[in-house]
Amino acid sequence: MSSVPEELRKVTVPVVRSARDAGIRIVMLTAYDAPTARLLDEAGVDILLVGDSVGNNVLGYDSTLPVTMDEMLHHTRAVVRGARRALVVADMPYLSYQTGRRDAVRNAGRFIKDAGAAAVKIEGGRRRAALVRALLDAEIPVMGHIGLTPQSVHVMGGYRVQGKRVDEARALIEDARALEEAGIFSLVLEGMPEPVGRAVTAAVGTPTIGIGAGRYCDGQVLVFHDFAGFNPGPPPRFARRYADLNAVIGDAARRFIADVRQGSFPSESEVYSAPTPLTSDRRPGRG
Ligand code: KIV
């Protein structure tokens, strides 16, 4: 009996945990809806993160802070429906876990039980270690996230690169170790100098997934709208644009407008015909 080819094998939490030992660089993208999830999954992306960045990228908020549990559950269900092979990780929104362990376990459990995600992600370093243990006690795998953590925007005084000072870099290493000790299966490193991303990665056995954290992480993640050029303005320094959806969709809309105004859409091949003429010889498009 032939074995299942590697690229078709379902990505699970243990598969991600062992990625570094297997010499595989982890590929993660955010996804917020079913058709995008299906496309990214079929292309071979390993992890689909239903990021709370849905707030800025899809829902029109200024930050991730207003995003609610209901919004995250809604988008997570959609991504789960679109994914087959990829691991779906749901981001816990602001105040869904900072308010205590009971809230955190109940809310994280909803992502697993009601929405079908395989794991959750929470932001914060060693002060979240006890919470990671509580989630694992409830059989909920946890992805950590340290460095530039957008839910702490007001504490950080803006979206600033973290770990530039030696003491801050050391603190990030301690955070990573504490989260590893608590049992996370992977760790997002966001917005830190490359040497710090490298040092944190070297300090833990848990695979790290970087975004603006340099080349030495075990994997990389991009926000879908940065990756696909679906945000106005230039992409952030750390992001690479792999497509220009702004141009593609803007151009398509302008061509549609022109076609409708000129009366060239719909054409004869784009209409339903009836067996007998029902109307007189009115000009198409004028009622
Ligand atoms: O919400 C998000 O998109 C994230 C990524 C930046 C890792 O947390």
Side-chain angles (χ1 to χ4, degrees):
M1 203 174 78
S2 64
S3 61
V4 183
E6 187 61 43
E7 63 275 16
L8 297 183
R9 234 180 258 158
K10 181 119 184 77
V11 181
T12 61
V13 164
V15 165
V16 174
R17 195 190 277 282
S18 62
R20 186 190 293 181
D21 294 338
I24 297 166
R25 284 184 203 270
I26 301 161
V27 181
M28 179 159 97
L29 276 170
T30 66
Y32 314 110
D33 60 68
T36 309
R38 181 180 51 74
L39 275 174
L40 302 179
D41 182 285
E42 286 175 3
V45 171
D46 302 313
I47 306 178
L48 297 176
L49 171 67
V50 190
D52 61 351
S53 53
V54 69
N56 327 39
N57 291 298
V58 175
L59 301 177
Y61 298 142
D62 284 344
S63 73
T64 59
L65 300 182
V67 176
T68 65
M69 271 301 294
D70 284 344
E71 286 165 343
M72 287 303 301
L73 286 165
H74 177 75
H75 287 277
T76 302
R77 286 188 193 103
V79 169
V80 167
R81 285 192 284 266
R84 289 165 64 93
R85 171 187 169 273
L87 186 81
V88 178
V89 178
D91 219 357
M92 296 201 62
Y94 180 53
L95 290 192
S96 69
Y97 59 97
Q98 289 93 340
T99 51
R101 272 183 236 174
R102 278 170 68 98
D103 285 354
V105 172
R106 192 169 296 122
N107 286 324
R110 292 184 71 196
F111 282 118
I112 308 295
K113 189 170 173 153
D114 303 345
V120 298
K121 176 170 82 58
I122 59 173
E123 295 182 8
R126 68 204 95 149
R127 68 184 187 283
R128 302 279 181 244
L131 182 51
V132 171
R133 289 194 187 91
L135 293 171
L136 284 171
D137 277 351
E139 315 300 344
I140 301 169
V142 184
M143 176 181 279
H145 182 167
I146 60 172
L148 193 172
T149 46
Q151 291 177 16
S152 326
V153 57
H154 296 307
V155 176
M156 295 182 300
Y159 298 101
R160 297 176 194 288
V161 171
Q162 302 292 297
K164 282 183 165 176
R165 292 203 326 251
V166 173
D167 59 324
E168 289 173 352
R170 286 205 183 111
L172 286 172
I173 291 172
E174 288 315 308
D175 284 339
R177 286 191 174 132
L179 291 170
E180 171 167 80
E181 173 82 19
I184 56 166
F185 72 96
S186 57
L187 178 61
V188 171
L189 304 183
E190 178 168 359
M192 60 186 70
E194 182 174 82
V196 180
R198 186 177 194 173
V200 173
T201 300
V204 292
T206 303
T208 60
I209 306 176
I211 176 162
R215 291 164 289 181
Y216 297 95
C217 301
D218 297 299
Q220 297 289 331
V221 52
L222 284 176
V223 167
F224 176 80
H225 287 57
D226 294 336
F227 145 91
F230 202 10
N231 271 332
R237 177 189 164 92
F238 59 80
R240 187 178 296 176
R241 231 176 219 180
Y242 285 87
D244 191 355
L245 290 194
N246 279 328
V248 170
I249 295 173
D251 179 55
R254 281 184 287 276
R255 287 190 291 120
F256 177 52
I257 292 165
D259 289 352
V260 173
R261 301 259 200 259
Q262 287 161 13
S264 66
F265 176 83
S267 66
E268 198 179 344
S269 65
E270 290 158 330
V271 299
Y272 297 110
S273 54
T276 48
L278 300 177
T279 52
S280 58
D281 57 354
R282 280 196 200 132
R283 193 158 88 73
R286 294 283 157 176

